[in-house]
Amino acid sequence: MSGKHKARKRFGQNFLTDQKIIERIVATIAPKHNDNLLEIGPGQGAMTLPLLERVNQLNVIEIDRDLIKILAAYNKSNLVINQGDALNFDLNLFNPPIRVVGNLPYNISSPILFHLLDNRDKIIDMTFMLQKEVVERMSASHGSKIYGRLSVMMQAFFEVELIFVVPPESFDPAPKVDSAIVYLKPLKSCKVGDIDIFEKVVKAAFSHRRKTLRNCLKSLLTQEQTGVDLSQRAEMLDIDTFITLAKDYEKQY
Ligand code: SAM
């Protein structure tokens, strides 16, 4: 199958070929017949075909028109193919709440995650293949060197779990790095107030990793305006402390 279509680097195309891994991903998703499933980047259907056997209907979003032709040729009555860019697709079109899955194009995985973060109220859960290094950053704990903006933004809104690691040989063409399956579920009681303010504070806090919060946040907050000790570096703060910091900044508005 992959012989017919030449993988396009600009669309981050690394097609899954390892059947055991595909089965493990489908088992992780554990789809039920009535699930409202959306797959981002179905490619040539490596995950799509086994998923179609388990659900009454599957929506997919694919950007590459050549792949759309391959998918359409399967003639599956329960497959709804949407051609377009997952980065600006309106999720309301899929009759939310939805479960989102996909082996994401690695070159745009962060913007896709942030687009989905903005749409979290429409999402039941998400199961994605991403670069292992990205999943490790998403799930890192405070105090670790890789804990940063992505860790805080994801963990403030989702339960984040690295499920298993996938080696490069499971794909054609093989990526240069390890991949991993991550499971994300919106938190039932998210404590963040204004998301734009939260994002602004988190971004500023990590703008210079070696500097203290006092330095990074100097245009936003002074030590007198918050109970959080600003002599620390951002990587030492847990999620709840970031939420407190953002709320203290919000009070200054
Ligand atoms: N799911 C397939 C598999 O596992 O073999 C393909 C995975 S491949 C890593 C990523 C897929 O996302 C490709 O099919 C690519 O064309 C598609 N893609 C890339 N950018 C996209 C975008 N902005 N919106 C939708 N699909 C995109």
PDB file of all heavy atoms in Angstrom, residues 102-110 112-113 127-136 138 150 154 164-166 171 177-184:
ATOM      1  N   GLY A 102      -5.414   9.755  16.860  1.00  0.00           N
ATOM      2  CA  GLY A 102      -4.599   9.964  15.664  1.00  0.00           C
ATOM      3  C   GLY A 102      -3.119   9.765  15.904  1.00  0.00           C
ATOM      4  O   GLY A 102      -2.622   9.931  17.023  1.00  0.00           O
ATOM      5  N   ASN A 103      -2.477   9.372  14.827  1.00  0.00           N
ATOM      6  CA  ASN A 103      -1.017   9.368  14.767  1.00  0.00           C
ATOM      7  C   ASN A 103      -0.686  10.724  14.158  1.00  0.00           C
ATOM      8  O   ASN A 103      -0.757  10.914  12.951  1.00  0.00           O
ATOM      9  CB  ASN A 103      -0.576   8.186  13.887  1.00  0.00           C
ATOM     10  CG  ASN A 103       0.904   8.189  13.576  1.00  0.00           C
ATOM     11  OD1 ASN A 103       1.673   8.941  14.167  1.00  0.00           O
ATOM     12  ND2 ASN A 103       1.290   7.344  12.626  1.00  0.00           N
ATOM     13  N   LEU A 104      -0.395  11.694  15.011  1.00  0.00           N
ATOM     14  CA  LEU A 104      -0.349  13.100  14.564  1.00  0.00           C
ATOM     15  C   LEU A 104       0.903  13.415  13.746  1.00  0.00           C
ATOM     16  O   LEU A 104       1.970  12.861  13.987  1.00  0.00           O
ATOM     17  CB  LEU A 104      -0.402  14.032  15.771  1.00  0.00           C
ATOM     18  CG  LEU A 104      -1.676  14.016  16.604  1.00  0.00           C
ATOM     19  CD1 LEU A 104      -1.628  15.117  17.668  1.00  0.00           C
ATOM     20  CD2 LEU A 104      -2.926  14.171  15.763  1.00  0.00           C
ATOM     21  N   PRO A 105       0.755  14.347  12.770  1.00  0.00           N
ATOM     22  CA  PRO A 105       1.939  14.824  12.055  1.00  0.00           C
ATOM     23  C   PRO A 105       2.837  15.557  13.051  1.00  0.00           C
ATOM     24  O   PRO A 105       2.411  16.533  13.672  1.00  0.00           O
ATOM     25  CB  PRO A 105       1.359  15.783  11.005  1.00  0.00           C
ATOM     26  CG  PRO A 105      -0.040  16.087  11.452  1.00  0.00           C
ATOM     27  CD  PRO A 105      -0.490  14.990  12.340  1.00  0.00           C
ATOM     28  N   TYR A 106       4.076  15.058  13.256  1.00  0.00           N
ATOM     29  CA  TYR A 106       4.913  15.573  14.333  1.00  0.00           C
ATOM     30  C   TYR A 106       5.298  17.032  14.147  1.00  0.00           C
ATOM     31  O   TYR A 106       5.511  17.745  15.119  1.00  0.00           O
ATOM     32  CB  TYR A 106       6.175  14.717  14.476  1.00  0.00           C
ATOM     33  CG  TYR A 106       5.895  13.293  14.908  1.00  0.00           C
ATOM     34  CD1 TYR A 106       6.868  12.319  14.851  1.00  0.00           C
ATOM     35  CD2 TYR A 106       4.642  12.936  15.383  1.00  0.00           C
ATOM     36  CE1 TYR A 106       6.599  11.009  15.252  1.00  0.00           C
ATOM     37  CE2 TYR A 106       4.363  11.638  15.784  1.00  0.00           C
ATOM     38  CZ  TYR A 106       5.347  10.680  15.715  1.00  0.00           C
ATOM     39  OH  TYR A 106       5.076   9.399  16.112  1.00  0.00           O
ATOM     40  N   ASN A 107       5.365  17.492  12.881  1.00  0.00           N
ATOM     41  CA  ASN A 107       5.796  18.872  12.649  1.00  0.00           C
ATOM     42  C   ASN A 107       4.792  19.901  13.170  1.00  0.00           C
ATOM     43  O   ASN A 107       5.151  21.049  13.398  1.00  0.00           O
ATOM     44  CB  ASN A 107       6.110  19.100  11.160  1.00  0.00           C
ATOM     45  CG  ASN A 107       5.012  18.593  10.241  1.00  0.00           C
ATOM     46  OD1 ASN A 107       4.149  17.819  10.654  1.00  0.00           O
ATOM     47  ND2 ASN A 107       5.030  19.030   8.999  1.00  0.00           N
ATOM     48  N   ILE A 108       3.536  19.493  13.346  1.00  0.00           N
ATOM     49  CA  ILE A 108       2.546  20.463  13.842  1.00  0.00           C
ATOM     50  C   ILE A 108       1.811  19.932  15.077  1.00  0.00           C
ATOM     51  O   ILE A 108       0.686  20.342  15.358  1.00  0.00           O
ATOM     52  CB  ILE A 108       1.520  20.860  12.737  1.00  0.00           C
ATOM     53  CG1 ILE A 108       0.873  19.636  12.107  1.00  0.00           C
ATOM     54  CG2 ILE A 108       2.159  21.755  11.697  1.00  0.00           C
ATOM     55  CD1 ILE A 108      -0.406  19.971  11.359  1.00  0.00           C
ATOM     56  N   SER A 109       2.469  19.038  15.824  1.00  0.00           N
ATOM     57  CA  SER A 109       1.744  18.436  16.955  1.00  0.00           C
ATOM     58  C   SER A 109       1.394  19.470  18.037  1.00  0.00           C
ATOM     59  O   SER A 109       0.276  19.451  18.557  1.00  0.00           O
ATOM     60  CB  SER A 109       2.490  17.238  17.524  1.00  0.00           C
ATOM     61  OG  SER A 109       3.782  17.588  17.906  1.00  0.00           O
ATOM     62  N   SER A 110       2.322  20.399  18.343  1.00  0.00           N
ATOM     63  CA  SER A 110       1.989  21.377  19.395  1.00  0.00           C
ATOM     64  C   SER A 110       0.816  22.276  19.002  1.00  0.00           C
ATOM     65  O   SER A 110      -0.118  22.428  19.789  1.00  0.00           O
ATOM     66  CB  SER A 110       3.194  22.235  19.766  1.00  0.00           C
ATOM     67  OG  SER A 110       4.059  21.492  20.561  1.00  0.00           O
ATOM     68  N   ILE A 112      -1.607  21.595  17.042  1.00  0.00           N
ATOM     69  CA  ILE A 112      -2.841  20.785  17.086  1.00  0.00           C
ATOM     70  C   ILE A 112      -3.283  20.612  18.546  1.00  0.00           C
ATOM     71  O   ILE A 112      -4.463  20.781  18.873  1.00  0.00           O
ATOM     72  CB  ILE A 112      -2.653  19.402  16.401  1.00  0.00           C
ATOM     73  CG1 ILE A 112      -2.498  19.576  14.886  1.00  0.00           C
ATOM     74  CG2 ILE A 112      -3.828  18.467  16.703  1.00  0.00           C
ATOM     75  CD1 ILE A 112      -2.399  18.282  14.083  1.00  0.00           C
ATOM     76  N   LEU A 113      -2.323  20.340  19.435  1.00  0.00           N
ATOM     77  CA  LEU A 113      -2.682  20.167  20.854  1.00  0.00           C
ATOM     78  C   LEU A 113      -3.302  21.448  21.415  1.00  0.00           C
ATOM     79  O   LEU A 113      -4.286  21.404  22.159  1.00  0.00           O
ATOM     80  CB  LEU A 113      -1.438  19.786  21.671  1.00  0.00           C
ATOM     81  CG  LEU A 113      -0.896  18.371  21.435  1.00  0.00           C
ATOM     82  CD1 LEU A 113       0.462  18.194  22.102  1.00  0.00           C
ATOM     83  CD2 LEU A 113      -1.873  17.308  21.935  1.00  0.00           C
ATOM     84  N   THR A 127      -6.487  10.100  22.297  1.00  0.00           N
ATOM     85  CA  THR A 127      -5.391   9.129  22.297  1.00  0.00           C
ATOM     86  C   THR A 127      -4.538   9.422  21.075  1.00  0.00           C
ATOM     87  O   THR A 127      -5.030   9.311  19.940  1.00  0.00           O
ATOM     88  CB  THR A 127      -5.931   7.685  22.232  1.00  0.00           C
ATOM     89  OG1 THR A 127      -6.902   7.505  23.260  1.00  0.00           O
ATOM     90  CG2 THR A 127      -4.801   6.673  22.394  1.00  0.00           C
ATOM     91  N   PHE A 128      -3.286   9.824  21.302  1.00  0.00           N
ATOM     92  CA  PHE A 128      -2.438  10.241  20.187  1.00  0.00           C
ATOM     93  C   PHE A 128      -1.085   9.539  20.193  1.00  0.00           C
ATOM     94  O   PHE A 128      -0.537   9.225  21.256  1.00  0.00           O
ATOM     95  CB  PHE A 128      -2.143  11.746  20.268  1.00  0.00           C
ATOM     96  CG  PHE A 128      -3.343  12.626  20.030  1.00  0.00           C
ATOM     97  CD1 PHE A 128      -3.582  13.711  20.856  1.00  0.00           C
ATOM     98  CD2 PHE A 128      -4.216  12.381  18.982  1.00  0.00           C
ATOM     99  CE1 PHE A 128      -4.677  14.541  20.649  1.00  0.00           C
ATOM    100  CE2 PHE A 128      -5.316  13.201  18.766  1.00  0.00           C
ATOM    101  CZ  PHE A 128      -5.543  14.280  19.597  1.00  0.00           C
ATOM    102  N   MET A 129      -0.557   9.375  18.978  1.00  0.00           N
ATOM    103  CA  MET A 129       0.853   9.022  18.814  1.00  0.00           C
ATOM    104  C   MET A 129       1.577  10.342  18.574  1.00  0.00           C
ATOM    105  O   MET A 129       1.181  11.137  17.707  1.00  0.00           O
ATOM    106  CB  MET A 129       1.014   8.136  17.584  1.00  0.00           C
ATOM    107  CG  MET A 129       2.450   7.871  17.262  1.00  0.00           C
ATOM    108  SD  MET A 129       3.002   6.342  17.936  1.00  0.00           S
ATOM    109  CE  MET A 129       2.255   5.216  16.782  1.00  0.00           C
ATOM    110  N   LEU A 130       2.648  10.547  19.334  1.00  0.00           N
ATOM    111  CA  LEU A 130       3.467  11.758  19.197  1.00  0.00           C
ATOM    112  C   LEU A 130       4.926  11.364  19.364  1.00  0.00           C
ATOM    113  O   LEU A 130       5.228  10.225  19.744  1.00  0.00           O
ATOM    114  CB  LEU A 130       3.105  12.749  20.320  1.00  0.00           C
ATOM    115  CG  LEU A 130       1.726  13.386  20.270  1.00  0.00           C
ATOM    116  CD1 LEU A 130       1.418  14.044  21.613  1.00  0.00           C
ATOM    117  CD2 LEU A 130       1.682  14.424  19.183  1.00  0.00           C
ATOM    118  N   GLN A 131       5.822  12.295  19.136  1.00  0.00           N
ATOM    119  CA  GLN A 131       7.222  12.020  19.455  1.00  0.00           C
ATOM    120  C   GLN A 131       7.311  11.735  20.951  1.00  0.00           C
ATOM    121  O   GLN A 131       6.708  12.457  21.754  1.00  0.00           O
ATOM    122  CB  GLN A 131       8.080  13.253  19.180  1.00  0.00           C
ATOM    123  CG  GLN A 131       8.397  13.468  17.730  1.00  0.00           C
ATOM    124  CD  GLN A 131       9.298  14.675  17.562  1.00  0.00           C
ATOM    125  OE1 GLN A 131      10.150  14.952  18.377  1.00  0.00           O
ATOM    126  NE2 GLN A 131       9.084  15.396  16.485  1.00  0.00           N
ATOM    127  N   LYS A 132       8.103  10.733  21.300  1.00  0.00           N
ATOM    128  CA  LYS A 132       8.228  10.362  22.717  1.00  0.00           C
ATOM    129  C   LYS A 132       8.682  11.557  23.556  1.00  0.00           C
ATOM    130  O   LYS A 132       8.179  11.799  24.651  1.00  0.00           O
ATOM    131  CB  LYS A 132       9.241   9.213  22.830  1.00  0.00           C
ATOM    132  CG  LYS A 132       9.491   8.756  24.238  1.00  0.00           C
ATOM    133  CD  LYS A 132      10.388   7.535  24.216  1.00  0.00           C
ATOM    134  CE  LYS A 132      11.231   7.453  25.450  1.00  0.00           C
ATOM    135  NZ  LYS A 132      12.645   7.481  25.219  1.00  0.00           N
ATOM    136  N   GLU A 133       9.599  12.332  23.004  1.00  0.00           N
ATOM    137  CA  GLU A 133      10.152  13.478  23.723  1.00  0.00           C
ATOM    138  C   GLU A 133       9.042  14.503  24.043  1.00  0.00           C
ATOM    139  O   GLU A 133       9.036  15.111  25.116  1.00  0.00           O
ATOM    140  CB  GLU A 133      11.255  14.072  22.831  1.00  0.00           C
ATOM    141  CG  GLU A 133      11.944  15.313  23.314  1.00  0.00           C
ATOM    142  CD  GLU A 133      11.454  16.554  22.605  1.00  0.00           C
ATOM    143  OE1 GLU A 133      11.104  16.470  21.410  1.00  0.00           O
ATOM    144  OE2 GLU A 133      11.408  17.605  23.273  1.00  0.00           O
ATOM    145  N   VAL A 134       8.090  14.647  23.120  1.00  0.00           N
ATOM    146  CA  VAL A 134       6.981  15.584  23.351  1.00  0.00           C
ATOM    147  C   VAL A 134       6.067  15.041  24.454  1.00  0.00           C
ATOM    148  O   VAL A 134       5.646  15.779  25.360  1.00  0.00           O
ATOM    149  CB  VAL A 134       6.184  15.840  22.041  1.00  0.00           C
ATOM    150  CG1 VAL A 134       4.940  16.681  22.306  1.00  0.00           C
ATOM    151  CG2 VAL A 134       7.075  16.522  21.006  1.00  0.00           C
ATOM    152  N   VAL A 135       5.792  13.729  24.404  1.00  0.00           N
ATOM    153  CA  VAL A 135       4.933  13.124  25.437  1.00  0.00           C
ATOM    154  C   VAL A 135       5.614  13.242  26.805  1.00  0.00           C
ATOM    155  O   VAL A 135       4.965  13.520  27.821  1.00  0.00           O
ATOM    156  CB  VAL A 135       4.608  11.647  25.102  1.00  0.00           C
ATOM    157  CG1 VAL A 135       3.791  11.017  26.230  1.00  0.00           C
ATOM    158  CG2 VAL A 135       3.865  11.548  23.770  1.00  0.00           C
ATOM    159  N   GLU A 136       6.925  13.065  26.831  1.00  0.00           N
ATOM    160  CA  GLU A 136       7.646  13.182  28.110  1.00  0.00           C
ATOM    161  C   GLU A 136       7.555  14.608  28.650  1.00  0.00           C
ATOM    162  O   GLU A 136       7.395  14.816  29.850  1.00  0.00           O
ATOM    163  CB  GLU A 136       9.109  12.761  27.941  1.00  0.00           C
ATOM    164  CG  GLU A 136       9.237  11.254  27.826  1.00  0.00           C
ATOM    165  CD  GLU A 136      10.628  10.774  27.439  1.00  0.00           C
ATOM    166  OE1 GLU A 136      11.439  11.594  26.949  1.00  0.00           O
ATOM    167  OE2 GLU A 136      10.883   9.580  27.580  1.00  0.00           O
ATOM    168  N   MET A 138       5.079  16.697  27.956  1.00  0.00           N
ATOM    169  CA  MET A 138       3.676  16.915  28.347  1.00  0.00           C
ATOM    170  C   MET A 138       3.397  16.365  29.742  1.00  0.00           C
ATOM    171  O   MET A 138       2.620  16.932  30.499  1.00  0.00           O
ATOM    172  CB  MET A 138       2.741  16.197  27.363  1.00  0.00           C
ATOM    173  CG  MET A 138       2.655  16.839  26.015  1.00  0.00           C
ATOM    174  SD  MET A 138       1.932  15.701  24.810  1.00  0.00           S
ATOM    175  CE  MET A 138       0.213  15.768  25.245  1.00  0.00           C
ATOM    176  N   LEU A 150       4.618  23.436  27.904  1.00  0.00           N
ATOM    177  CA  LEU A 150       3.726  22.375  27.411  1.00  0.00           C
ATOM    178  C   LEU A 150       3.219  21.508  28.572  1.00  0.00           C
ATOM    179  O   LEU A 150       2.027  21.162  28.616  1.00  0.00           O
ATOM    180  CB  LEU A 150       4.477  21.520  26.374  1.00  0.00           C
ATOM    181  CG  LEU A 150       3.626  20.538  25.588  1.00  0.00           C
ATOM    182  CD1 LEU A 150       2.585  21.256  24.726  1.00  0.00           C
ATOM    183  CD2 LEU A 150       4.497  19.647  24.687  1.00  0.00           C
ATOM    184  N   MET A 154      -0.797  21.524  29.447  1.00  0.00           N
ATOM    185  CA  MET A 154      -1.534  20.274  29.296  1.00  0.00           C
ATOM    186  C   MET A 154      -2.092  19.793  30.644  1.00  0.00           C
ATOM    187  O   MET A 154      -3.262  19.480  30.774  1.00  0.00           O
ATOM    188  CB  MET A 154      -0.632  19.186  28.685  1.00  0.00           C
ATOM    189  CG  MET A 154      -0.301  19.425  27.231  1.00  0.00           C
ATOM    190  SD  MET A 154      -1.782  19.352  26.180  1.00  0.00           S
ATOM    191  CE  MET A 154      -1.662  20.889  25.314  1.00  0.00           C
ATOM    192  N   PHE A 164       2.457   3.846  26.068  1.00  0.00           N
ATOM    193  CA  PHE A 164       3.589   2.991  25.719  1.00  0.00           C
ATOM    194  C   PHE A 164       4.429   3.638  24.629  1.00  0.00           C
ATOM    195  O   PHE A 164       3.974   4.536  23.921  1.00  0.00           O
ATOM    196  CB  PHE A 164       3.158   1.559  25.333  1.00  0.00           C
ATOM    197  CG  PHE A 164       2.286   1.435  24.104  1.00  0.00           C
ATOM    198  CD1 PHE A 164       2.839   1.216  22.841  1.00  0.00           C
ATOM    199  CD2 PHE A 164       0.901   1.502  24.214  1.00  0.00           C
ATOM    200  CE1 PHE A 164       2.035   1.078  21.720  1.00  0.00           C
ATOM    201  CE2 PHE A 164       0.084   1.371  23.086  1.00  0.00           C
ATOM    202  CZ  PHE A 164       0.666   1.153  21.840  1.00  0.00           C
ATOM    203  N   VAL A 165       5.672   3.153  24.521  1.00  0.00           N
ATOM    204  CA  VAL A 165       6.640   3.717  23.577  1.00  0.00           C
ATOM    205  C   VAL A 165       6.623   2.896  22.294  1.00  0.00           C
ATOM    206  O   VAL A 165       6.424   1.680  22.324  1.00  0.00           O
ATOM    207  CB  VAL A 165       8.048   3.710  24.232  1.00  0.00           C
ATOM    208  CG1 VAL A 165       9.130   4.145  23.258  1.00  0.00           C
ATOM    209  CG2 VAL A 165       8.046   4.617  25.456  1.00  0.00           C
ATOM    210  N   VAL A 166       6.793   3.584  21.162  1.00  0.00           N
ATOM    211  CA  VAL A 166       6.757   2.916  19.855  1.00  0.00           C
ATOM    212  C   VAL A 166       8.083   3.203  19.126  1.00  0.00           C
ATOM    213  O   VAL A 166       8.449   4.361  18.937  1.00  0.00           O
ATOM    214  CB  VAL A 166       5.560   3.432  19.017  1.00  0.00           C
ATOM    215  CG1 VAL A 166       5.491   2.717  17.670  1.00  0.00           C
ATOM    216  CG2 VAL A 166       4.246   3.260  19.783  1.00  0.00           C
ATOM    217  N   PHE A 171       7.199   2.172  11.612  1.00  0.00           N
ATOM    218  CA  PHE A 171       6.657   3.097  10.601  1.00  0.00           C
ATOM    219  C   PHE A 171       7.385   2.950   9.266  1.00  0.00           C
ATOM    220  O   PHE A 171       8.528   2.520   9.210  1.00  0.00           O
ATOM    221  CB  PHE A 171       6.853   4.555  11.041  1.00  0.00           C
ATOM    222  CG  PHE A 171       6.283   4.917  12.364  1.00  0.00           C
ATOM    223  CD1 PHE A 171       6.985   4.655  13.540  1.00  0.00           C
ATOM    224  CD2 PHE A 171       5.047   5.550  12.464  1.00  0.00           C
ATOM    225  CE1 PHE A 171       6.479   5.015  14.780  1.00  0.00           C
ATOM    226  CE2 PHE A 171       4.533   5.916  13.695  1.00  0.00           C
ATOM    227  CZ  PHE A 171       5.255   5.642  14.857  1.00  0.00           C
ATOM    228  N   VAL A 177      13.230   9.411  15.474  1.00  0.00           N
ATOM    229  CA  VAL A 177      13.131   9.369  16.943  1.00  0.00           C
ATOM    230  C   VAL A 177      12.068   8.362  17.390  1.00  0.00           C
ATOM    231  O   VAL A 177      11.236   7.929  16.581  1.00  0.00           O
ATOM    232  CB  VAL A 177      12.729  10.766  17.480  1.00  0.00           C
ATOM    233  CG1 VAL A 177      13.855  11.757  17.281  1.00  0.00           C
ATOM    234  CG2 VAL A 177      11.451  11.262  16.803  1.00  0.00           C
ATOM    235  N   ASP A 178      12.104   8.023  18.677  1.00  0.00           N
ATOM    236  CA  ASP A 178      11.059   7.174  19.254  1.00  0.00           C
ATOM    237  C   ASP A 178       9.746   7.940  19.327  1.00  0.00           C
ATOM    238  O   ASP A 178       9.736   9.171  19.425  1.00  0.00           O
ATOM    239  CB  ASP A 178      11.446   6.764  20.686  1.00  0.00           C
ATOM    240  CG  ASP A 178      12.363   5.560  20.707  1.00  0.00           C
ATOM    241  OD1 ASP A 178      12.356   4.769  19.735  1.00  0.00           O
ATOM    242  OD2 ASP A 178      13.096   5.415  21.699  1.00  0.00           O
ATOM    243  N   SER A 179       8.658   7.195  19.313  1.00  0.00           N
ATOM    244  CA  SER A 179       7.331   7.791  19.455  1.00  0.00           C
ATOM    245  C   SER A 179       6.676   7.221  20.708  1.00  0.00           C
ATOM    246  O   SER A 179       7.206   6.296  21.316  1.00  0.00           O
ATOM    247  CB  SER A 179       6.472   7.441  18.236  1.00  0.00           C
ATOM    248  OG  SER A 179       7.116   7.861  17.057  1.00  0.00           O
ATOM    249  N   ALA A 180       5.540   7.792  21.081  1.00  0.00           N
ATOM    250  CA  ALA A 180       4.824   7.249  22.241  1.00  0.00           C
ATOM    251  C   ALA A 180       3.340   7.536  22.101  1.00  0.00           C
ATOM    252  O   ALA A 180       2.932   8.507  21.471  1.00  0.00           O
ATOM    253  CB  ALA A 180       5.356   7.855  23.533  1.00  0.00           C
ATOM    254  N   ILE A 181       2.563   6.653  22.714  1.00  0.00           N
ATOM    255  CA  ILE A 181       1.114   6.861  22.766  1.00  0.00           C
ATOM    256  C   ILE A 181       0.799   7.606  24.055  1.00  0.00           C
ATOM    257  O   ILE A 181       1.270   7.230  25.136  1.00  0.00           O
ATOM    258  CB  ILE A 181       0.364   5.500  22.756  1.00  0.00           C
ATOM    259  CG1 ILE A 181       0.632   4.744  21.448  1.00  0.00           C
ATOM    260  CG2 ILE A 181      -1.133   5.696  22.965  1.00  0.00           C
ATOM    261  CD1 ILE A 181       0.110   5.418  20.200  1.00  0.00           C
ATOM    262  N   VAL A 182       0.019   8.676  23.923  1.00  0.00           N
ATOM    263  CA  VAL A 182      -0.385   9.454  25.098  1.00  0.00           C
ATOM    264  C   VAL A 182      -1.913   9.488  25.175  1.00  0.00           C
ATOM    265  O   VAL A 182      -2.584   9.546  24.145  1.00  0.00           O
ATOM    266  CB  VAL A 182       0.193  10.900  25.062  1.00  0.00           C
ATOM    267  CG1 VAL A 182      -0.331  11.712  23.899  1.00  0.00           C
ATOM    268  CG2 VAL A 182      -0.063  11.635  26.367  1.00  0.00           C
ATOM    269  N   TYR A 183      -2.406   9.392  26.417  1.00  0.00           N
ATOM    270  CA  TYR A 183      -3.850   9.489  26.650  1.00  0.00           C
ATOM    271  C   TYR A 183      -4.130  10.784  27.411  1.00  0.00           C
ATOM    272  O   TYR A 183      -3.465  11.075  28.419  1.00  0.00           O
ATOM    273  CB  TYR A 183      -4.327   8.275  27.467  1.00  0.00           C
ATOM    274  CG  TYR A 183      -5.800   8.313  27.777  1.00  0.00           C
ATOM    275  CD1 TYR A 183      -6.745   8.030  26.788  1.00  0.00           C
ATOM    276  CD2 TYR A 183      -6.264   8.647  29.051  1.00  0.00           C
ATOM    277  CE1 TYR A 183      -8.104   8.078  27.074  1.00  0.00           C
ATOM    278  CE2 TYR A 183      -7.621   8.694  29.337  1.00  0.00           C
ATOM    279  CZ  TYR A 183      -8.537   8.414  28.343  1.00  0.00           C
ATOM    280  OH  TYR A 183      -9.881   8.469  28.616  1.00  0.00           O
ATOM    281  N   LEU A 184      -5.093  11.552  26.902  1.00  0.00           N
ATOM    282  CA  LEU A 184      -5.437  12.838  27.519  1.00  0.00           C
ATOM    283  C   LEU A 184      -6.939  12.882  27.809  1.00  0.00           C
ATOM    284  O   LEU A 184      -7.751  12.593  26.908  1.00  0.00           O
ATOM    285  CB  LEU A 184      -5.117  13.986  26.555  1.00  0.00           C
ATOM    286  CG  LEU A 184      -3.658  14.147  26.133  1.00  0.00           C
ATOM    287  CD1 LEU A 184      -3.558  14.838  24.799  1.00  0.00           C
ATOM    288  CD2 LEU A 184      -2.933  14.950  27.189  1.00  0.00           C
TER     289      LEU A 184
END
